[in-house]
Amino acid sequence: MSKDNKNTILKTENLTIGYTSKKEDTVIASNINLELHQGELIGLVGANGIGKSTLLRTLTNVQEVISGSITINSKNLKDYNALDLAKALSLVLTESITSKNLSVFELVALGRQPYTNWVGTISEADISIVNTALSQTNLTDLKDKKCYELSDGQLQKVMIARALAQDTSIIILDEPTTHLDMYHKAYVLKLLQRLAKETNKTILFSSHEIDLAIQLCDTLIVMTKDGIITDTPKNLIKQGAFNSLFPEDLIVFDEGTGSFRVRK
């Protein structure tokens, strides 16, 4: 199916991001025009400090838009209240969780909060959704374990399962492979790739694992000091989009292998 025929889940038009104060606006990036489609895995890559987290915070309404617009499911982000946004978008952050005394099942069940009543009672239908999320992330055997007993890789899978249980059309993850070894970095990103296909959800993540993102993503958003480019990894390689991500005196991009290497 071509992108033109896919549902657009998130769209930005002439978006400017940054920080606002009483004195002035500090612009991080401007003229951002993105379309994220249903069932795609999208990687957001760029050098440290380029503004990836600022973009994600803006897309998730944690940070205010300076100018331009963001729509999710054809509805302007400004028109969402907190509860409705929690039913449309789920967020996985890198911060350490404070609820490690919860079991895996209990933590994943927190994803059902936007749908439970004010007492927070979960129904049989909610339990079924939680169990499905545990199965999709290969966590069923660990569901009774306390979260403090888990490795970093296992805990990251639990956070992804919680986002799945929240049952939103888009999941946004900020650096989901931080603190993981190379095997678990690849494992988590392969899991996200599979989930995007199996659940038909839009999954957007930021990452420093550019080589892995090139191999696994349907679409990449590349942030550089000169602007933002988005396309398929193959087209971005042809356009030379990765050549200027890092100073060439140390790191160069090999278009033949689609990976970075240290200059000899």
Side-chain angles (χ1 to χ4, degrees), residues 232-246:
T232 64
K234 184 177 179 181
N235 287 343
L236 289 168
I237 289 172
K238 287 180 182 177
Q239 296 165 26
F242 303 107
N243 297 339
S244 59
L245 277 185
F246 305 107

Side-chain angles (χ1 to χ4, degrees), residues 12 15 55 119 217:
T12 69
L15 180 66
L55 177 55
V119 181
C217 288

Side-chain angles (χ1 to χ4, degrees), residues 72-234:
I72 297 175
N73 294 326
S74 302
K75 179 178 176 179
N76 196 296
L77 186 60
K78 293 179 180 178
D79 296 331
Y80 278 92
N81 61 38
L83 182 60
D84 287 340
L85 185 59
K87 293 178 180 179
L89 181 152
S90 50
L91 182 60
V92 179
L93 299 172
T94 52
E95 282 84 355
S96 178
I97 62 169
T98 56
S99 45
K100 285 192 176 181
N101 279 326
L102 295 177
S103 70
V104 167
F105 182 91
E106 290 168 335
L107 183 54
V108 174
L110 290 178
R112 298 305 299 159
Q113 281 186 332
Y115 308 94
T116 57
N117 59 36
W118 64 274
V119 181
T121 306
I122 63 172
S123 66
E124 289 298 322
D126 292 318
I127 291 171
S128 176
I129 290 169
V130 171
N131 282 326
T132 297
L134 290 167
S135 174
Q136 289 170 326
T137 49
N138 302 315
L139 288 169
T140 302
D141 291 345
L142 299 177
K143 70 178 184 178
D144 296 321
K145 272 191 172 290
K146 296 293 186 183
C147 288
Y148 65 75
E149 300 178 273
L150 304 180
S151 67
D152 287 341
Q154 290 170 331
L155 193 56
Q156 188 59 275
K157 286 202 296 177
V158 174
M159 302 308 290
I160 293 168
R162 185 176 74 170
L164 285 172
Q166 197 172 327
D167 197 19
T168 58
S169 52
I170 182 167
I171 299 173
I172 295 181
L173 308 96
D174 189 14
E175 298 286 354
T177 57
T178 300
H179 309 310
L180 302 183
D181 60 30
M182 181 54 70
Y183 174 84
H184 287 95
K185 288 178 193 292
Y187 183 95
V188 165
L189 295 187
K190 282 284 288 182
L191 172 63
L192 294 178
Q193 182 193 45
R194 176 172 62 79
L195 290 173
K197 298 295 178 288
E198 289 182 357
T199 67
N200 213 25
K201 295 182 185 297
T202 304
I203 301 179
L204 167 65
F205 69 95
S206 63
S207 181
H208 294 295
E209 310 305 323
I210 304 175
D211 290 1
L212 286 174
I214 287 171
Q215 296 176 61
L216 298 174
C217 288
D218 300 296
T219 300
L220 283 177
I221 303 167
V222 182
M223 290 188 78
T224 71
K225 62 182 186 305
D226 298 320
I228 292 179
I229 317 165
T230 180
D231 209 328
T232 64
K234 184 177 179 181

